[in-house]
Amino acid sequence: MKKEFVVIGLGRFGGSICRELSLQGMEVMAIDQDEDRVNEFASIATHAVIADSTDETVLKNLGIRNFDHIIVAIGADIQASILTTLMLKEIGAKKVTVKAQNDYHAKVLQKIGADHVVHPERDMGRRIAHHIVSNNVLDYIELSDKYSIVEIAVNEHITGNSIVDLNIRAKYGINIVAIKRGNSMVISPQAYDVIEQDDILIVIGADADIQRFEKKLSQ
């Protein structure tokens, strides 16, 4: 069953979400106050609407509360972002994800009931920093302030060893949750699975422990 989404704010972040949801076959209502942006997404989204999301009457008339998930991707106007989120929760929106500009903005959004707050610029900055620091890190997803999931390319230091031989959990306090091997994925690898050349390890753990493992690979 298709889920129905609303994307409010069609800048780079909101626009990319709108495109991706549409590509995945989802029903998407795209909303922005800028007529040119709305026209751009008229052929991409299921519905594209010029509207002021801080107007409660407008939100009610659009039937926003009937949608499965609303993404508030308003750009630099923090006040509009906060007011929109507040209105959405007051009219009974099921799930609201909001883009935060900074930590203060995020705290306010959480206090007024946002279900999920994202920091795309900060998170992308951290991903890029990890790529720059370590040649082995391919991707980085923050789970919390202290824990992450990281994709790490193997090198000659560990190729040919089994997971039990490496003893990564005991030495570094991290867990290998999967191994990418070509076009296949080994989920929950066993202790005696051998690491092959060109494998990609997907590990989970505390950032400090993952960094220790990254440094070991880089030596």
Side-chain angles (χ1 to χ4, degrees), residues 45-80:
T46 313
H47 306 285
V49 182
I50 303 168
D52 178 2
S53 63
T54 63
D55 188 326
E56 186 175 356
T57 302
V58 169
L59 295 177
K60 286 180 177 178
N61 290 340
L62 289 171
I64 295 291
R65 68 189 303 272
N66 299 316
F67 285 77
D68 297 299
H69 197 151
I70 297 95
I71 298 96
V72 180
I74 294 171
D77 192 340
I78 290 178
Q79 181 174 322

Side-chain angles (χ1 to χ4, degrees), residues 58-193:
V58 169
L59 295 177
K60 286 180 177 178
N61 290 340
L62 289 171
I64 295 291
R65 68 189 303 272
N66 299 316
F67 285 77
D68 297 299
H69 197 151
I70 297 95
I71 298 96
V72 180
I74 294 171
D77 192 340
I78 290 178
Q79 181 174 322
S81 168
I82 292 169
L83 284 173
T84 297
T85 304
L86 187 60
M87 298 287 185
L88 289 169
K89 297 308 295 184
E90 285 185 346
I91 65 175
K94 296 174 186 174
K95 187 173 183 181
V96 181
T97 293
V98 192
K99 171 189 174 182
Q101 297 289 1
N102 51 50
D103 290 340
Y104 172 76
H105 186 196
K107 286 179 182 178
V108 174
L109 293 170
Q110 288 163 350
K111 284 186 179 295
I112 63 174
D115 298 288
H116 186 51
V117 177
V118 296
H119 300 76
E121 285 87 0
R122 184 197 69 183
D123 294 345
M124 182 54 69
R126 288 181 176 177
R127 284 187 176 194
I128 291 169
H130 277 262
H131 281 289
I132 293 169
V133 169
S134 174
N135 293 328
N136 300 100
V137 173
L138 303 178
D139 203 358
Y140 167 90
I141 299 173
E142 184 182 76
L143 299 176
S144 71
D145 290 339
K146 296 182 180 180
Y147 293 88
S148 302
I149 295 177
V150 181
E151 288 189 0
I152 298 177
V154 305
N155 58 22
E156 66 278 3
H157 294 307
I158 62 174
T159 299
N161 289 286
S162 69
I163 291 175
V164 71
D165 290 335
L166 294 172
N167 204 17
I168 289 173
R169 184 174 183 179
K171 289 181 179 178
Y172 301 98
I174 62 178
N175 289 291
I176 300 173
V177 295
I179 300 173
K180 280 187 180 180
R181 184 166 289 159
N183 294 322
S184 64
M185 181 83 78
V186 180
I187 304 295
S188 298
Q190 301 301 304
Y192 293 97
D193 285 341

Side-chain angles (χ1 to χ4, degrees), residues 187-202:
I187 304 295
S188 298
Q190 301 301 304
Y192 293 97
D193 285 341
V194 175
I195 307 298
E196 299 179 4
Q197 187 176 352
D198 299 325
D199 277 354
I200 296 169
L201 305 182
I202 300 175

